[in-house]
Amino acid sequence: QVQLVESGGGLVQAGGSLRLSCASSGAIFARSILGWFRQAPGKQRDLVAIITSTGGTTYAEAVKGRFTISRDNAKRMVYLQMNSLKPEDRAVYYCRQWGPGDSWGQGTQVTVSS
């Protein structure tokens, strides 16, 4: 089973930046699809960004132009660079890996003060 561990969350002022990291134990990481999701209090967990094994990316409309997902296959890491943060970006952010199976990290809290 793949283990995913997120880091990099914290408290930041509106307009600031954070970089989330997710470390994977998966042996076939390079062939996996990776994603970041987020869940705000009282809301469902939503897709933030996805990156395919060939580097193709997809973003939620709410974060386009502000967030960037990237991956380092050699280090088995996926990142989410978050710029121009807004209070509505406040949520627990989760890393997800498809292949093998479907694995989630434990989440990292991001809080944006206005």
Side-chain angles (χ1 to χ4, degrees), residues 4-78:
L4 299 172
V5 179
E6 301 99 335
S7 61
L11 172 64
V12 64
Q13 287 187 331
S17 298
L18 282 175
R19 187 194 195 206
L20 305 183
S21 301
C22 176
S24 171
S25 66
I28 62 166
F29 182 85
R31 301 198 299 272
S32 300
I33 297 172
L34 305 165
W36 286 96
F37 288 70
R38 67 184 181 185
Q39 188 167 19
K43 296 188 176 181
Q44 67 180 20
R45 191 174 298 186
D46 291 327
L47 171 70
V48 175
I50 286 177
I51 186 166
T52 69
S53 59
T54 56
T57 57
T58 301
Y59 295 92
E61 284 296 326
V63 307
K64 279 184 180 178
R66 301 187 297 123
F67 291 12
T68 302
I69 188 171
S70 61
R71 64 192 294 164
D72 185 332
N73 290 335
K75 296 181 179 179
R76 292 192 293 204
M77 297 287 293
V78 58

Side-chain angles (χ1 to χ4, degrees), residues 80-98:
L80 186 67
Q81 178 66 44
M82 305 186 294
N83 299 328
S84 302
L85 282 161
K86 304 175 181 180
E88 51 263 43
D89 294 317
R90 177 196 176 204
V92 178
Y93 284 71
Y94 297 89
C95 174
R96 186 177 185 182
Q97 180 174 339
W98 290 271

